[in-house]
Amino acid sequence: MTQRTRAPRREIFGWAMFDFANSAYTTLIITVVFGDLFTRVIVGDAPDYKLGNLLWSLALAVSYLMVVVCSPIVGAIIDYRAAKKRFLFASYLLTVVTTAMLYWVAPGYAWLGVVLLILSNFAFSIGESFIASFLPSLGPPEDLGKISGFGWALGYIGGMASALFVVLLLGEVSAENFEHIRWVGPWTAFFFLAAAIPTFIWLREPGVARSLPPGASYVRLGLDRVRQTLTHLKDHRDLAVLLVAVFFSMSGISIIITYAFIYGAQVIGWDESVRTLMFVLVQITAAAGAFGFGFVQDRIGALRTYLLTLVLWILAILLIYLTPAIAAAAQTRLGLDWQAQYVFLMVGCVAGTSLGACQSTTRTLVGLFSPLSRSAEMFGFWGLSMKLAGVFGLLAIGLLQALFGLHKAVLFCILLFVAAFLVARAVDETRGRRIAAEHDTGVRAW
């Protein structure tokens, strides 16, 4: 087995800067600004915004399904050709160009917005798999937790930095402010373009390129390598089972990311100032969780850390559901003037810590379980699992909230995190028995 050495600091920093750069897209386009702008202003079918919500969900679902189909195949190709950096650069340019073009998506041009969202979110999402596939080559197993945590923490800082410009200069999302807020697309594209430059300067291409066999095509090569992986799945059974756990946990996380601010408005009834404060607190606690739990991973093992983050998530969801009851009990039984929106801020800190820690640990685990020669392919399967989870989570919560209301529907996330815990626990026990049987005295990377 090839001994992995730690990459130079500037290469690790260059790799982590891509997390810093691409977080602007997640924060401003998907989560906070453009989704609201698209549904309420560009489509603008008040008062229920059903068409806007449908088109938004459709665009994201189609882009995720494109990633599901392409990620493992493209990953297999770039492993064989040692072309991770070139494909990462292509996805980066496509994200930048299509995101900048969102400026021209105005009322009456909703379908242009749908097309650009599909292209930009596809490029962004598949780029996540490409950049993550560099992780195994950046250090030995005992360092990957800290490296992944550093990148994810830097990402949350990037999200907050990119949002600051919008808050200070572009203003609110409204029809009256459309001529200013429409610049959110070009600003996000510029932030991504500029902040990712260190990645392409300092990050090195791992592996050695191999020539394409005579008579073969790249698509055929990718399909054949994926087929080989699936045929010999027993050689990667820990990773295969882990990705099932990732599917359940990321389904829950996708629900929380998508509906947290909607929940705050509809169930908690928060003020605009509290909404802004919640965004800041979640970014800070998520960064702290990702960075701090990176050291925990390297001390007790990434898989056991992952189990711990799932327990934190179960606690966070329970607190989210109980927030109105906690505020009411504090007022009636203890005589404390606790408003639900301020209790929700404290709960948001727990959820933020869980968010950063869980996402970072998942990426570390895939890096630990992936052979260097097939890391892009394995991270392609990771991307497949995450995007399938996103589609499933959004469809499930949409149906459940229609049947039971958003307040009760959020409890479904507990079931998802419990399922993830049980599956991941099975991997932990199985891997532990195997290592004990083999008398492995190496680094506890599991």
Side-chain angles (χ1 to χ4, degrees):
M1 183 176 179
T2 304
Q3 181 66 35
R4 304 183 192 183
T5 57
R6 189 181 180 114
R9 289 184 178 179
R10 71 176 185 177
E11 184 176 1
I12 293 174
F13 177 75
W15 175 80
M17 278 301 293
F18 201 84
D19 280 351
F20 179 89
N22 73 4
S23 62
Y25 184 88
T26 308
T27 303
L28 299 178
I29 303 303
I30 301 300
T31 306
V32 179
V33 180
F34 193 80
D36 191 17
L37 179 66
F38 181 82
T39 54
R40 289 199 301 112
V41 178
I42 293 170
V43 179
D45 56 326
D48 52 16
Y49 305 110
K50 288 183 179 180
L51 178 60
N53 291 335
L54 175 62
L55 292 177
W56 180 256
S57 299
L58 177 66
L60 295 183
V62 170
S63 65
Y64 288 150
L65 289 174
M66 289 168 61
V67 175
V68 167
V69 172
C70 295
S71 281
I73 299 171
V74 176
I77 294 170
I78 64 179
D79 277 332
Y80 188 88
R81 291 292 296 155
K84 293 177 183 177
K85 199 168 180 179
R86 280 178 285 170
F87 274 72
L88 178 66
F89 187 73
S91 70
Y92 155 76
L93 282 185
L94 181 57
T95 307
V96 168
V97 171
T98 51
T99 302
M101 291 175 67
L102 291 174
Y103 173 85
W104 285 285
V105 180
Y109 293 87
W111 283 105
L112 174 63
V114 169
V115 173
L116 291 175
L117 279 167
I118 290 173
L119 292 175
S120 64
N121 195 52
F122 166 74
F124 164 80
S125 298
I126 203 166
E128 282 188 304
S129 298
F130 294 158
I131 190 65
S133 69
F134 284 87
L135 178 60
S137 64
L138 294 178
E142 63 269 22
D143 284 345
L144 294 190
K146 291 188 286 290
I147 294 172
S148 179
F150 171 66
W152 220 288
L154 207 58
Y156 284 110
I157 294 172
M160 191 159 51
S162 64
L164 188 62
F165 174 86
V166 175
V167 171
L168 295 179
L169 295 180
L170 298 187
E172 65 179 4
V173 176
S174 66
E176 295 75 19
N177 190 47
F178 179 73
E179 290 304 317
H180 286 95
I181 199 64
R182 71 188 303 182
W183 283 93
V184 68
W187 161 247
T188 303
F190 172 75
F191 187 94
F192 192 5
L193 178 70
I197 290 174
T199 301
F200 298 101
I201 294 176
W202 290 323
L203 189 61
R204 296 177 297 177
E205 177 68 54
V208 178
R210 286 173 281 182
S211 300
L212 192 67
S217 67
Y218 284 115
V219 174
R220 172 69 66 180
L221 174 69
L223 289 170
D224 287 344
R225 283 173 65 86
V226 171
R227 190 180 300 113
Q228 290 173 13
T229 300
L230 294 175
T231 302
H232 298 89
L233 199 59
K234 64 179 184 297
D235 298 329
H236 310 286
R237 57 188 177 276
D238 290 333
L239 179 58
V241 177
L242 173 69
L243 291 179
V244 176
V246 169
F247 172 82
F248 287 121
S249 63
M250 289 308 300
S251 293
I253 288 174
S254 68
I255 291 171
I256 298 303
I257 289 175
T258 306
Y259 278 91
F261 283 76
I262 297 174
Y263 189 92
Q266 295 182 4
V267 178
I268 304 301
W270 59 15
D271 299 329
E272 184 65 24
S273 60
V274 175
R275 179 182 184 272
T276 302
L277 183 57
M278 174 65 90
F279 170 75
V280 173
L281 285 175
V282 168
Q283 298 299 305
I284 293 173
T285 53
F291 186 73
F293 273 81
F295 289 89
V296 176
Q297 291 173 55
D298 294 335
R299 185 169 183 84
I300 70 172
L303 190 48
R304 288 169 183 167
T305 305
Y306 179 56
L307 291 169
L308 178 59
T309 66
L310 295 175
V311 173
L312 283 176
W313 263 122
I314 293 169
L315 174 62
I317 301 303
L318 190 60
L319 289 173
I320 288 172
Y321 174 75
L322 293 175
T323 292
I326 292 172
Q331 293 174 5
T332 58
R333 298 185 181 182
L334 302 177
L336 300 174
D337 187 20
W338 286 10
Q339 296 181 32
Q341 61 180 342
Y342 297 118
V343 176
F344 197 50
L345 284 176
M346 293 183 284
V347 175
C349 293
V350 179
T353 303
S354 308
L355 177 66
C358 189
Q359 291 178 311
S360 172
T361 307
T362 300
R363 184 168 64 179
T364 302
L365 281 167
V366 178
L368 289 168
F369 288 178
S370 299
L372 285 174
S373 61
R374 288 181 177 266
S375 61
E377 181 183 350
M378 297 306 173
F379 273 101
F381 281 110
W382 174 68
L384 181 155
S385 179
M386 291 207 303
K387 300 317 171 189
L388 273 180
V391 174
F392 171 77
L394 292 175
L395 291 176
I397 195 66
L399 175 62
L400 290 171
Q401 71 166 347
L403 293 174
F404 305 109
L406 184 57
H407 185 206
K408 292 181 180 178
V410 76
L411 290 174
F412 176 63
C413 294
I414 292 181
L415 297 179
L416 293 171
F417 288 118
V418 168
F421 181 91
L422 294 176
V423 175
R425 181 62 181 167
V427 177
D428 187 32
E429 293 174 350
T430 302
R431 195 168 174 84
R433 288 194 297 268
R434 188 182 311 123
I435 291 177
E438 295 171 354
H439 302 287
D440 189 343
T441 57
V443 176
R444 285 188 300 165
W446 52 278

